[in-house]
Amino acid sequence: MLDAELGNRLHSARHWSNSAHQSRGTRVNLSIIDWLIMLVYFVFVLGIGFALKRYMRTSNDFFLAGRSIPAWVCGLAFISANLGAQEVIGMGASGAKYGIVTSQFYWIGAIPAMAFVGIFMMPFYYGSKARSVPEFLRLRFDEKTRAINAFSFAIMTVLSSGISMYAMALLIQTLGLFHGIIPDQYVFHVSVILSALIVLGYIFLGGLTSAIYNEVLQFFLIVAGFAPLVWIGLRNVGGWQGIKQTLPATMTHSWRGMAHPATNTLGVEWVGLAMGLGFVLSFGYWCTDFLVIQRAMAADSEISARRVPLIAAIPKMFFPFLVILPGLIAVSVTSHATSVQPVTYSAQVPLSEQHPHGIIPVKTDPIHNQPVIDSKGLPVYNYDLAIPVMLLHFFPTGILGLGLTALLASFMSGMAGNVTAFNTVWTYDIYQSYINKRASDEHYLWMGRMATIGGVVLSVAAAYLVTNFNNIMDALQLVFSIVNAPLFATFLLGMFWKRTTGHGAFTGLVAGTLAALVHHGLTIPGDAAAGIHGGWITIVHHYSSDMAQNFYTAIFAFSVNLVVTVLVSLVTSPRPDSELVGLVYSLTPQPEEGHLEWYQKPATLAIAVLVMLIALNLVFA
C-alpha cells in the first residue's frame, strides 16, 4: 500500500514537472530585440574588461583599483556585489517560501550593520592600509589568526560563487534558451561552463576596477528589469491588498507570529531572528566579509570609504520591493489572474492555506532531469524559480529581454564579486604569505590572474554541490553561519577589548567554527534527510526550517567563539598598547570631521538611514 502511494505521488510530481517544462518551453518566445539586448550587455561587459586592461600595471591596480574610485561609485558597487543571482533569485525564493518576513534579511539583517561599518569599522580598515580582511587580522592579532580566516574565506567565496553559477545555469535551463541547439541533458553543464568563461574574461582583464564598474552597470540594469515586473505583477494580483487577501496572514507581516516558531513561516521566534539574523549573521557578514569591504576600500579617501556603506544602505532597504515582492506575487497568482501574454500556465498549483504555490513549479534534478520528492513522497516545489516564472508569466516580448538581462546581470555581479575577493585573499594572504614571500609585484599581478582562473574552476565544482537545496538562500546562510558568524566575535573583541590576544583569537575562531559544524551535524530542519541539510553526526534536535537552523548555528558559533576567546585571552599575554594604535577603538584617534558641514558627516547620514528603517518596520509589522 505504501509503495503504491509513493508511486502515485512520484507520478504526480512527474506530471507537474513535465507540464511545467512544456509550459516554460512555450512561454520562451524571444524576439530579435530580446536577443539583441542580451548580446549588447555581454559585449559591453567584456568591453569594459578590455578597455581597463592597459591600466592594470600593478597588483594594487588589479586588486584594490588603486584606491581611486569615487564614493558614490563604490557605494553602488558595494550593494551590487551583494546583489548577485544568489540574492535576487534566493530572496525571490524566500519571499515565495516564507513571505514578507524575508524583508528582515535587509531591514534588521543588513541596514544596522551597514551603518555600523560606516561609522566604526571603515576607519580601521582604511586607516590600517590593510589590503584585505585577513591582513587586518594579522596586524591586530597574529599570523595564525590571519591564516585560518584566509583559508576559510577562500572556501566561502568559492562556495558563494558556485551558488551564483548554479542559479545562472538553472535560469538558462529553465528558460530553454539552448533548446534545439544543445541536447537537453547537457544544457545545465554547458550553461555552467559558459557563464564561468564570461565572468573569467572581464575579471582576468580588468581586475577589481572592471568588476566595480560592471557592478554599477548591473545595479541599474537590475532596477530597470525588476521595477516593471513588480508593477505589472501587482496589477494582476490586485495590489498589496490582493496579496494580503490571498496569502496566509503570517506571509504578509514582517513581525507577526514571532512569539513562537510554529506561528510564523520562517520557523523561528523573535530571539532567534534578532540574535541569529539581526546581530550575528548580519554584523558577521557586513563587518567582516572582504567581498563588500573591498569595494569600500577602493574609495579615494577615508571619509569616502565611511560613506560607501551608508550610501549603499539607502537603496538596500528598498530592495525587498524589487526582489522579495515578486516571490509573494508568484505564490499569489491563481488561475483567475491574467497575464500580459495570453498563454495558460499549465503547471499551476492551487493555493492552500498551509502551502501556497501559485505558479511555482515542482523542483527537477537539473542533472538527471527527474522530479524531486521529499521524505514523505510529496513533490518539492522549486522556489528558486519564483522570479524566472514571474518573468515568463508577465513580461511580453521585448521587455522579456530586459528582464532576462537583469537576471544575467545579477549573476555576473555576484560571481564577479566573489572571484575578485578570492583572487586578492589567495594572492596576498596565502600565496605571498606562505608560498612565495619575495616575488616581484609583476609576479603577484600574474598570480592574481591565475587565482582568478583557479577560483572560477573551483566555483564550477561548487555549483554542482548546491543542487541539493530548493532555496539557494538557505544554502548561502548556512555558509555564512559557519564562516562569518564566529569571525564576527573575533572582530568585536579585537576592536573593542584591547586585552584580546592572538592566541585567544585563534583558539576562539577554531572553536567557534567547530561549534557551528557540530551544531549543524546534530540538528536537522523539518523532515529533511540527514546529509548536507544537517544531522550527519546524529539527530538530537529538529528545527522548523533550514533558516531557523542557520540562525541558531550562527548563534552557537558566535557564543562559543566569544567565550573561548575571552578565557584564553585572560591567561595569555596581550600586546603593548603602542602596537595597537589604529587597530583598537579606545587607542585610535577619531577621524577628523571638523571641516565637514553637519549634513556631510557620516553620523548624520547613519541617523537618517536608521530613521527610514524604523519607519519601514512599522508599516509592515
Side-chain angles (χ1 to χ4, degrees), residues 84-136:
Q86 59 201 31
E87 175 152 345
V88 171
I89 292 183
M91 284 299 178
S94 294
K97 185 175 181 180
Y98 301 120
I100 196 64
V101 68
T102 307
S103 63
Q104 297 299 357
F105 282 92
Y106 291 85
W107 296 342
I108 70 167
I111 306 304
M114 293 169 76
F116 184 83
V117 170
I119 299 300
F120 294 103
M121 302 289 284
M122 285 316 303
F124 291 98
Y125 284 133
Y126 200 92
S128 69
K129 301 300 181 182
R131 297 168 297 183
S132 66
V133 169
E135 187 168 48
F136 178 82

Side-chain angles (χ1 to χ4, degrees), residues 45-308:
V45 162
L46 291 173
I48 290 177
F50 278 104
L52 293 173
K53 184 177 184 297
R54 66 179 182 272
Y55 298 108
M56 299 300 107
R57 300 186 181 94
T58 68
S59 62
N60 188 58
D61 295 330
F62 187 81
F63 295 117
L64 293 176
R67 288 194 166 183
S68 59
I69 309 293
W72 72 270
V73 174
C74 291
L76 292 180
F78 189 92
I79 186 175
S80 189
N82 181 250
L83 195 64
Q86 59 201 31
E87 175 152 345
V88 171
I89 292 183
M91 284 299 178
S94 294
K97 185 175 181 180
Y98 301 120
I100 196 64
V101 68
T102 307
S103 63
Q104 297 299 357
F105 282 92
Y106 291 85
W107 296 342
I108 70 167
I111 306 304
M114 293 169 76
F116 184 83
V117 170
I119 299 300
F120 294 103
M121 302 289 284
M122 285 316 303
F124 291 98
Y125 284 133
Y126 200 92
S128 69
K129 301 300 181 182
R131 297 168 297 183
S132 66
V133 169
E135 187 168 48
F136 178 82
L137 287 174
R138 179 186 66 81
L139 295 172
R140 171 60 184 90
F141 296 116
D142 53 27
E143 192 64 51
K144 61 181 181 295
T145 307
R146 176 231 200 126
I148 189 173
N149 177 239
F151 282 100
S152 63
F153 179 78
I155 294 170
M156 186 187 74
T157 54
V158 165
L159 289 173
S160 186
S161 179
I163 291 172
S164 286
M165 190 178 292
Y166 161 73
M168 184 64 185
L170 180 69
L171 171 68
I172 293 173
Q173 183 185 48
T174 302
L175 299 180
L177 296 182
F178 293 149
H179 184 67
I181 303 174
I182 300 170
D184 289 345
Q185 65 268 31
Y186 297 117
V187 169
F188 183 82
H189 310 291
V190 172
S191 301
V192 167
I193 301 301
L194 183 62
S195 57
L197 290 175
I198 292 171
V199 171
L200 173 62
Y202 77 81
I203 298 299
F204 186 89
L205 294 168
L208 179 62
T209 307
S210 178
I212 285 177
Y213 281 105
N214 269 306
E215 284 160 1
V216 173
L217 166 67
Q218 288 150 4
F219 172 84
F220 288 110
L221 273 174
I222 291 167
V223 173
F226 285 94
L229 176 65
V230 173
W231 182 73
I232 295 172
L234 283 174
R235 286 187 59 196
N236 277 267
V237 297
W240 179 245
Q241 289 303 317
I243 292 176
K244 292 177 71 173
Q245 293 171 9
T246 304
L247 299 181
T250 52
M251 294 190 70
T252 57
H253 293 271
S254 60
W255 285 101
R256 181 174 294 186
M258 284 295 166
H260 192 277
T263 57
N264 66 83
T265 54
L266 206 56
V268 63
E269 78 291 341
W270 70 270
V271 174
L273 182 71
M275 283 297 297
L277 174 62
F279 182 62
V280 180
L281 281 173
S282 172
F283 282 74
Y285 175 79
W286 292 102
C287 296
T288 69
D289 195 318
F290 184 57
L291 165 65
V292 291
I293 297 298
Q294 186 181 33
R295 271 76 191 148
M297 289 173 67
D300 53 14
S301 69
E302 182 176 318
I303 289 294
S304 293
R306 296 181 68 195
R307 288 182 182 138
V308 165

Side-chain angles (χ1 to χ4, degrees), residues 582-599:
L583 300 172
V584 175
Y585 187 78
S586 61
L587 300 175
T588 301
Q590 297 305 299
E592 178 57 47
E593 297 181 354
H595 63 290
L596 300 176
E597 298 291 340
W598 67 270
Y599 56 84

Side-chain angles (χ1 to χ4, degrees), residues 307-489:
R307 288 182 182 138
V308 165
L310 298 170
I311 291 171
I314 297 174
K316 179 76 173 178
M317 75 174 71
F318 293 102
F319 258 81
F321 304 114
L322 282 182
V323 297
I324 294 174
L325 196 51
L328 277 86
I329 296 172
V331 295
S332 301
V333 174
T334 66
S335 58
H336 302 293
T338 58
S339 170
V340 173
Q341 302 182 63
V343 180
T344 301
Y345 198 92
S346 61
Q348 251 169 300
V349 180
L351 284 167
S352 69
E353 180 70 17
Q354 291 76 28
H355 303 288
H357 300 128
I359 56 175
I360 306 295
V362 166
K363 181 175 175 63
T364 302
D365 185 336
I367 299 174
H368 303 103
N369 202 30
Q370 293 295 316
V372 178
I373 59 174
D374 64 18
S375 59
K376 295 181 179 179
L378 296 173
V380 175
Y381 291 91
N382 199 343
Y383 294 105
D384 285 336
L385 296 182
I387 285 184
V389 297
M390 279 284 290
L391 289 172
L392 301 182
H393 194 77
F394 289 116
F395 270 4
T397 299
I399 299 181
L400 181 59
L402 179 63
L404 295 179
T405 304
L407 273 180
L408 297 176
S410 70
F411 155 75
M412 298 293 177
S413 175
M415 184 177 173
N418 281 286
V419 170
T420 53
F422 173 84
N423 64 27
T424 303
V425 169
W426 166 264
T427 303
Y428 284 150
D429 296 296
I430 298 176
Y431 182 78
Q432 185 180 26
S433 298
Y434 307 111
I435 300 174
N436 191 344
K437 297 183 178 181
R438 294 180 176 82
S440 64
D441 187 75
E442 182 180 1
H443 177 79
Y444 292 130
L445 175 60
W446 172 85
M447 175 50 62
R449 290 197 164 105
M450 294 303 102
T452 302
I453 297 174
V456 169
V457 171
L458 291 173
S459 298
V460 170
Y464 288 91
L465 181 65
V466 297
T467 59
N468 294 284
F469 287 84
N470 74 335
N471 180 352
I472 59 175
M473 190 52 62
D474 289 339
L476 190 63
Q477 293 301 323
L478 172 60
V479 173
F480 290 159
S481 68
I482 295 173
V483 177
N484 290 78
L487 180 62
F488 176 54

Side-chain angles (χ1 to χ4, degrees), residues 14-29 173-176 179 184 343-347 361 364 369 392:
R14 284 175 175 157
H15 165 74
W16 289 119
S17 179
N18 291 336
S19 60
H21 179 75
Q22 292 166 4
S23 176
R24 289 194 298 271
T26 61
R27 294 300 301 278
V28 181
N29 184 24
Q173 183 185 48
T174 302
L175 299 180
H179 184 67
D184 289 345
V343 180
T344 301
Y345 198 92
S346 61
T364 302
N369 202 30
L392 301 182

